[in-house]
Amino acid sequence: MPVPDALRQRLAEVADLAHAAAVLEWDQETYMPPGGAEARGRQIATLRRFAHERFVDERVGEWIEGAEGEGDLDRALLRVTARDWRRATLLPGRLVAEKAEASARAKGAWKAAREADRFDLFAPHLEQILSLAREEADLVRPLVAGERGSAYAPSDADARYDALLDAYEPGASAAGVAAVFGELREGLVPLVAAVAEAEPPDDAFLRRPFDADAQWAFGLDIAQALGYSLDHGRQDRSAHPFTTAFGVTDVRITTRVDPDFFPTAFFSTVHEAGHGIYEQGFAPELAGTPLADGASLGVHESQSRLYENLVARSAPFWKWAYPMLQARFPHLGDVPRKAFVRAVNKVEPSLIRVEADELTYHLHVLLRFELERALLAGDLAVDDLPAAWNERMAEYLGVVPPSDADGCLQDIHWSLGAVGYFPTYTLGTLMSAQLWTAADDDLDGLDAQLEAGAFEPLLGWLRDKVHRWGRAKTAGQILRDATGQDLEAGPWLAYARGKVERLYGVTA
Amino acid sequence: MPVPDALRQRLAEVADLAHAAAVLEWDQETYMPPGGAEARGRQIATLRRFAHERFVDERVGEWIEGAEGEGDLDRALLRVTARDWRRATLLPGRLVAEKAEASARAKGAWKAAREADRFDLFAPHLEQILSLAREEADLVRPLVAGERGSAYAPSDADARYDALLDAYEPGASAAGVAAVFGELREGLVPLVAAVAEAEPPDDAFLRRPFDADAQWAFGLDIAQALGYSLDHGRQDRSAHPFTTAFGVTDVRITTRVDPDFFPTAFFSTVHEAGHGIYEQGFAPELAGTPLADGASLGVHESQSRLYENLVARSAPFWKWAYPMLQARFPHLGDVPRKAFVRAVNKVEPSLIRVEADELTYHLHVLLRFELERALLAGDLAVDDLPAAWNERMAEYLGVVPPSDADGCLQDIHWSLGAVGYFPTYTLGTLMSAQLWTAADDDLDGLDAQLEAGAFEPLLGWLRDKVHRWGRAKTAGQILRDATGQDLEAGPWLAYARGKVERLYGVTA
């Protein structure tokens, strides 16, 4: 039996509803007048509810059940759709509603707690979020375990974490992440400590007035040079940068501009352009199906970080781009290129994840992974979180938050119910270095291409190995087919060590 | 039986879907990248289909049937909802689909015909549009006739026209429109002829470079002064100006700017702001119901034209506004205010409706009404349309189109299937003068208020008499309650004569 047309139509309809909701969310963050917020919340909820109801319909299950699929693409479609459908139907409406309510309350409490620097105001909400996460995990566990086969026998607590992590990074496990992250920690903590001892680069010239329109134009020029298409995308301003897709042919990015600090808009533009390039690169035949999405959040992040860091923070890239930047901002005329490259690669342990540099960022993530894994398992009591947080900050980064507001209350994610989400930032970064290494091999050296502003070979390689597949390959398959390896920390650590040695003259 | 909650919820859901579609359409006209068009068309169609399906559901009919409503608002809700539901359920899906297909083909053919100036390419499509319009009219006629009672006995052809007109202007009839339009024509044709003989005002100073950003800012300042709220609205650029609402709390307008001709952006901004002020003024308790919409297209147009013409083309208004305009555009420094007012009120017979001035505009509408009424009735053959068009142009305006492209092929409306739509432009204009006259009485003279830039009394009066009711009163009720009169051409003709006499020194 081929994939029935009724199934295809239903999936296209669900995609239309989800994309419509995404348009409304995009508008909410970019152009919506303040008074429109309440009605907008209801409109989005209505669209999301319709999309959900049309998808969890019993008939969808029957259509999947009855089909086998002809060709790889249809088989992938059935595999991914069946998985999404089973996961969606495992959660009772009651739990989904409870989660939404708990998270709405927790979000408000988190904001108040952070403002007042009072963790005790947030603690009971985090407790409830964790309790609902355990409930969800227990419902989803059989599905995840069933797929992984008899060799999969994690501890009870890790089976729960796996079930949650799987929603963001299908196929990943707490134990696997912990092993890779352990290797990363071993290498990264001493590296960061060594950098902290070294003379920091001067970046005062980045903290000058940079004309906002010129920043905008420069970022967008670079994004397009890298491969982001304005025929199928656009860039707008928002308080928090993001990428969103209304289909393969309309993938938008947002950024914010700091008129007195160059890196904010530029690296965020390139980061989001990386996400956007990925989604613009899905094969057209995936459109309107669940395959037209990132293989995992990690793979998604691998593309944004690859463009942001491995391309746009590299010395070869600036050899090409720096004269253009100087032409736009004449006050950089007396800043040597090497000083500029050092400045945009400044490494400095700090308190806030979202402001962290390329290297120390991952110690923030490691800490969150370890703590949420322990919280979920019950090995760490919610009340003990602030102390555990500060202890690890001291151990990994050598800095201790002066307040919980700058410590364990800094991120919104847990209040939203996102447990098992943080690791994907670092998983993606590790992948980005693995992919880079393989591309560098396959394309006979990327540095010379970056120096020449020739980004097409890299784009072509990524299109072929990563983008076009969407979810038709799993993250693991993509990585293995592109690099011949599973997830590893080594390539990224080698990259990080090389950069530190070149820029700081220190080794660790 | 009060209005059941299930009905209210269903109506709110339908409103959410319709508003979501409107957001997607707004984005399509303002920000969407070119490559996104195809997917967007499908997304909008999916949302519209859902909204339709959820509304024509049998249960909606049962809920309406079983309810009586407590209080005026609920009774109005049931009346309007029942009417929409009956009209929507009278049309079989087959006819709706045929109309959509015919109109898609006709739109393409119309574009090609206009470009090639070949009416024969469009004629068969217009024939089919008319045939489907007759079919629709015959299905809807019993509903319209049933509501109007036994005294209603139009000719067969007019009963069809009434059924179509009723979708845009509920309660209006071809005979009624013809009577009022006849009176209008009697007065307007000689008035326009007299103006055509007079010395035209010099408007060369309007055709200079006007900084686009300054035009934008000035228009938006005035729109806000008149009552348009940016807390619940915003203005964006689009090729064709329009107003759209995503609920009572988010009503947006668009405009386009001609950097070398001042009136384009300004009067279009005030026009759309008039539409926007109306929709922002619906009573909050109408939100999420079919009552939160214009009472008719005519009433909607009465608000846009009132602000565009009776306010923003008036001498008292510019007494207040002209110093601000001169401050923004110093090159107007040597243009006396009276010359400026004359220039923005220039009356000149011309070929194209959308470029016509405030007075001659209505002769374009009269001609369309008369011709589409005759076409629908079969009294005018499609092939004879170009000749009939040109004949009437000569008679009413004293100009003859050199081509059908500038004649009967100039408007897109018929190709979209909109038959019975054109009269609403003029009906609204007549209402605007009636409302103005009543407001002027009630508020003891509006001129002094305009001169002082005091727009709140007028806004308050319109809020009270027109805006807040939405569809809770019919157009006829609104007019009668506000002015004590039914629709009349007299007040607008008196206004037009007064203006011509003041500006041109001629009478007719």
Side-chain angles (χ1 to χ4, degrees):
Chain A
M1 277 288 288
V3 176
D5 282 345
L7 177 60
R8 288 190 202 278
Q9 281 163 20
R10 179 63 63 90
L11 294 176
E13 188 184 281
V14 170
D16 284 343
L17 290 164
H19 288 143
V23 175
L24 269 63
E25 286 163 345
W26 167 86
D27 176 70
Q28 192 175 33
E29 303 299 327
T30 51
Y31 293 111
M32 189 183 72
E38 196 184 320
R40 179 56 51 86
R42 217 191 34 241
Q43 290 156 2
I44 292 169
T46 296
L47 293 179
R48 294 270 173 220
R49 179 166 57 77
F50 266 105
H52 178 75
E53 282 174 9
R54 298 294 286 172
F55 184 62
V56 297
D57 185 352
E58 275 177 23
R59 276 174 297 178
V60 171
E62 290 162 16
W63 289 327
I64 297 169
E65 196 68 36
E68 274 179 18
E70 292 159 349
D72 289 346
L73 196 64
D74 278 0
R75 275 190 287 275
L77 175 63
L78 288 171
R79 172 179 57 77
V80 165
T81 307
R83 178 164 224 294
D84 289 355
W85 187 82
R86 283 190 207 112
R87 193 164 176 122
T89 51
L90 278 172
L91 301 186
R94 193 241 345 131
L95 182 61
V96 174
E98 262 185 68
K99 273 184 63 180
E101 284 161 32
S103 145
R105 281 193 305 269
K107 210 168 104 181
W110 167 76
K111 274 187 186 156
R114 192 169 75 150
E115 269 163 35
D117 188 29
R118 279 185 52 188
F119 180 74
D120 63 302
L121 296 179
F122 181 55
H125 295 276
L126 181 55
E127 198 78 75
Q128 204 203 351
I129 293 281
L130 288 166
S131 158
L132 290 166
R134 286 184 200 111
E135 198 180 334
E136 176 178 354
D138 287 337
L139 289 164
V140 179
R141 272 168 70 174
L143 168 66
V144 172
E147 280 176 345
R148 295 185 185 188
S150 54
Y152 172 75
S155 75
D156 222 50
D158 271 352
R160 278 181 172 157
Y161 194 91
D162 290 0
L164 298 175
L165 174 62
D166 188 86
Y168 309 111
E169 199 63 32
S173 69
V177 171
V180 178
F181 280 17
E183 191 192 339
L184 179 65
R185 193 180 51 228
E186 294 288 298
L188 188 52
V189 171
L191 191 64
V192 165
V195 172
E197 301 279 298
E199 182 71 21
D202 173 21
D203 65 352
F205 51 80
L206 298 177
R207 299 172 192 283
R208 286 182 193 171
F210 284 79
D211 177 72
D213 290 342
Q215 284 196 58
W216 190 267
F218 180 74
L220 213 40
D221 279 354
I222 297 299
Q224 289 179 88
L226 298 176
Y228 180 68
S229 159
L230 291 186
D231 279 341
H232 296 108
R234 55 176 286 118
Q235 182 174 40
D236 296 279
R237 280 175 171 73
S238 70
H240 302 283
F242 63 93
T243 301
T244 183
F246 316 143
V248 178
T249 52
D250 190 348
V251 181
R252 306 190 188 181
I253 61 177
T254 71
T255 194
R256 66 196 167 96
V257 179
D258 182 338
D260 297 311
F261 188 54
F262 171 74
T264 303
F266 178 71
F267 290 104
S268 137
T269 295
V270 175
H271 181 96
E272 300 305 331
H275 283 304
I277 288 168
Y278 183 20
E279 299 229 8
Q280 288 181 338
F282 299 150
E285 56 268 33
L286 309 188
T289 80
L291 296 179
D293 206 343
S296 72
L297 290 190
V299 174
H300 230 305
E301 196 73 7
S302 78
Q303 300 308 293
S304 55
R305 303 256 165 172
L306 184 148
Y307 276 109
E308 177 191 351
N309 294 327
L310 288 111
V311 173
R313 288 189 206 269
S314 75
F317 170 81
W318 285 109
K319 201 160 177 183
W320 171 73
Y322 198 58
M324 292 185 287
L325 185 71
Q326 287 179 311
R328 292 237 187 220
F329 302 102
H331 58 63
L332 289 176
D334 59 350
V335 177
R337 190 179 77 238
K338 288 188 180 172
F340 179 84
V341 171
R342 272 174 59 87
V344 298
N345 280 287
K346 186 173 179 179
V347 175
E348 187 173 42
S350 63
L351 297 173
I352 307 296
R353 177 183 59 85
V354 295
E355 294 166 7
D357 59 79
E358 185 187 355
L359 266 57
T360 59
Y361 186 90
H362 301 290
L363 298 175
H364 293 269
V365 172
L366 288 189
L367 169 160
R368 283 157 180 73
F369 165 67
E370 292 164 0
L371 295 177
E372 70 179 6
R373 189 181 179 204
L375 284 168
L376 194 76
D379 294 340
L380 175 65
V382 164
D383 288 346
D384 296 335
L385 176 64
W389 184 286
N390 294 351
E391 203 177 293
R392 271 190 172 71
M393 284 296 290
E395 188 186 336
Y396 295 170
L397 285 152
V399 292
V400 178
S403 69
D404 291 338
D406 286 332
C408 64
L409 284 173
Q410 70 182 262
D411 293 313
I412 197 175
H413 301 60
W414 287 334
S415 82
L416 301 176
V419 178
Y421 173 92
F422 280 119
T424 64
Y425 290 129
T426 293
L427 295 174
T429 302
L430 301 184
M431 289 178 205
S432 74
Q434 291 184 268
L435 291 168
W436 186 265
T437 307
D440 193 48
D441 265 8
D442 287 355
L443 300 172
D444 296 324
L446 286 165
D447 283 2
Q449 296 173 24
L450 299 195
E451 283 182 11
F455 304 109
E456 299 81 5
L458 173 63
L459 179 66
W461 190 91
L462 291 169
R463 287 267 185 264
D464 190 45
K465 305 287 184 181
V466 182
H467 302 172
R468 67 188 176 100
W469 299 101
R471 296 173 74 196
K473 285 187 186 180
T474 64
Q477 283 172 318
I478 286 172
L479 206 54
R480 275 189 298 277
D481 291 350
T483 72
Q485 298 175 319
D486 288 322
L487 186 76
E488 289 186 0
W492 187 80
L493 273 173
Y495 157 79
R497 286 193 185 104
K499 179 171 262 192
V500 163
E501 191 169 348
R502 278 196 307 280
L503 298 179
Y504 286 85
V506 296
T507 53
Chain B
M1 276 290 289
V3 176
D5 282 344
L7 176 59
R8 287 189 202 278
Q9 281 163 21
R10 178 62 63 92
L11 294 175
E13 188 184 281
V14 170
D16 284 343
L17 290 163
H19 289 142
V23 175
L24 269 63
E25 286 163 345
W26 166 85
D27 177 70
Q28 191 174 35
E29 302 299 328
T30 52
Y31 293 110
M32 190 183 72
E38 196 185 320
R40 179 56 53 85
R42 217 190 36 240
Q43 290 156 3
I44 292 169
T46 297
L47 293 179
R48 295 270 175 221
R49 180 166 56 76
F50 266 104
H52 178 76
E53 283 174 8
R54 298 294 285 173
F55 184 62
V56 299
D57 185 353
E58 276 178 22
R59 276 174 298 178
V60 171
E62 290 161 15
W63 290 326
I64 297 168
E65 196 68 36
E68 274 180 17
E70 294 157 346
D72 288 347
L73 195 65
D74 278 0
R75 275 190 289 275
L77 175 63
L78 288 171
R79 171 179 58 75
V80 166
T81 307
R83 180 164 221 294
D84 288 354
W85 187 82
R86 283 191 207 110
R87 196 167 174 120
T89 51
L90 278 172
L91 301 185
R94 190 237 352 125
L95 182 60
V96 174
E98 261 185 69
K99 272 184 65 180
E101 283 160 33
S103 145
R105 281 193 305 269
K107 210 168 102 181
W110 166 75
K111 274 187 187 156
R114 193 170 73 149
E115 269 162 34
D117 187 29
R118 281 186 51 190
F119 180 74
D120 63 302
L121 296 179
F122 181 55
H125 295 276
L126 181 55
E127 199 78 77
Q128 203 201 354
I129 292 282
L130 288 166
S131 158
L132 289 167
R134 287 183 199 109
E135 196 179 336
E136 175 178 353
D138 286 338
L139 289 164
V140 179
R141 271 168 70 173
L143 169 66
V144 172
E147 281 175 344
R148 294 183 184 189
S150 53
Y152 173 75
S155 75
D156 220 48
D158 271 352
R160 278 182 173 157
Y161 194 90
D162 290 0
L164 298 174
L165 173 63
D166 187 86
Y168 309 111
E169 199 63 32
S173 69
V177 170
V180 178
F181 279 17
E183 190 191 339
L184 178 65
R185 193 180 52 229
E186 294 288 298
L188 188 52
V189 170
L191 191 64
V192 165
V195 172
E197 301 279 297
E199 180 72 21
D202 173 20
D203 65 352
F205 49 81
L206 298 178
R207 299 174 193 280
R208 287 182 194 170
F210 284 79
D211 177 72
D213 290 342
Q215 285 197 57
W216 190 266
F218 180 73
L220 213 39
D221 279 354
I222 298 299
Q224 289 179 88
L226 299 177
Y228 180 68
S229 159
L230 291 186
D231 279 340
H232 296 107
R234 54 175 287 119
Q235 182 174 40
D236 296 278
R237 281 175 170 73
S238 70
H240 303 283
F242 63 93
T243 300
T244 182
F246 316 142
V248 177
T249 51
D250 191 348
V251 181
R252 305 191 189 180
I253 61 177
T254 71
T255 195
R256 67 196 167 96
V257 179
D258 182 338
D260 299 310
F261 187 54
F262 171 74
T264 303
F266 178 72
F267 289 104
S268 137
T269 295
V270 175
H271 181 96
E272 300 305 330
H275 283 303
I277 288 168
Y278 182 21
E279 299 230 7
Q280 288 181 339
F282 298 151
E285 56 268 33
L286 308 188
T289 80
L291 296 179
D293 207 342
S296 73
L297 289 190
V299 174
H300 230 306
E301 196 73 7
S302 77
Q303 299 308 293
S304 55
R305 302 257 166 172
L306 184 148
Y307 277 110
E308 178 191 351
N309 294 327
L310 289 109
V311 173
R313 288 191 206 270
S314 75
F317 170 81
W318 285 109
K319 199 159 177 183
W320 171 73
Y322 198 57
M324 291 184 288
L325 185 71
Q326 287 179 311
R328 293 238 186 218
F329 302 103
H331 58 64
L332 289 176
D334 59 349
V335 177
R337 190 180 75 238
K338 287 187 182 173
F340 178 83
V341 172
R342 271 174 60 89
V344 298
N345 280 288
K346 186 173 180 178
V347 175
E348 189 173 41
S350 63
L351 297 173
I352 307 296
R353 177 183 59 85
V354 296
E355 294 165 7
D357 59 77
E358 184 186 356
L359 266 55
T360 60
Y361 186 89
H362 301 291
L363 298 174
H364 293 269
V365 172
L366 288 188
L367 170 159
R368 284 157 179 75
F369 165 67
E370 292 164 1
L371 294 177
E372 70 179 6
R373 190 181 178 203
L375 284 168
L376 193 76
D379 294 339
L380 174 66
V382 164
D383 288 345
D384 297 334
L385 176 64
W389 184 287
N390 294 351
E391 202 178 293
R392 271 192 173 70
M393 284 295 291
E395 187 186 337
Y396 296 170
L397 285 151
V399 293
V400 178
S403 71
D404 291 339
D406 286 333
C408 65
L409 284 172
Q410 69 183 261
D411 293 312
I412 196 175
H413 301 61
W414 287 334
S415 82
L416 301 175
V419 179
Y421 173 93
F422 280 119
T424 64
Y425 291 129
T426 293
L427 295 175
T429 302
L430 301 184
M431 288 179 207
S432 74
Q434 291 183 267
L435 291 169
W436 185 265
T437 307
D440 193 47
D441 266 7
D442 288 353
L443 300 172
D444 296 324
L446 286 166
D447 283 1
Q449 295 172 23
L450 299 195
E451 283 183 11
F455 305 108
E456 299 81 4
L458 173 62
L459 178 66
W461 191 91
L462 291 169
R463 287 268 184 263
D464 189 46
K465 304 286 184 182
V466 182
H467 302 173
R468 70 188 174 99
W469 299 100
R471 297 173 74 197
K473 286 186 185 180
T474 63
Q477 282 173 319
I478 286 171
L479 206 54
R480 275 189 298 279
D481 291 349
T483 73
Q485 298 175 319
D486 286 323
L487 187 76
E488 291 185 0
W492 187 81
L493 273 173
Y495 156 79
R497 287 193 184 106
K499 180 172 263 190
V500 163
E501 191 170 349
R502 276 195 310 279
L503 298 178
Y504 287 84
V506 296
T507 53

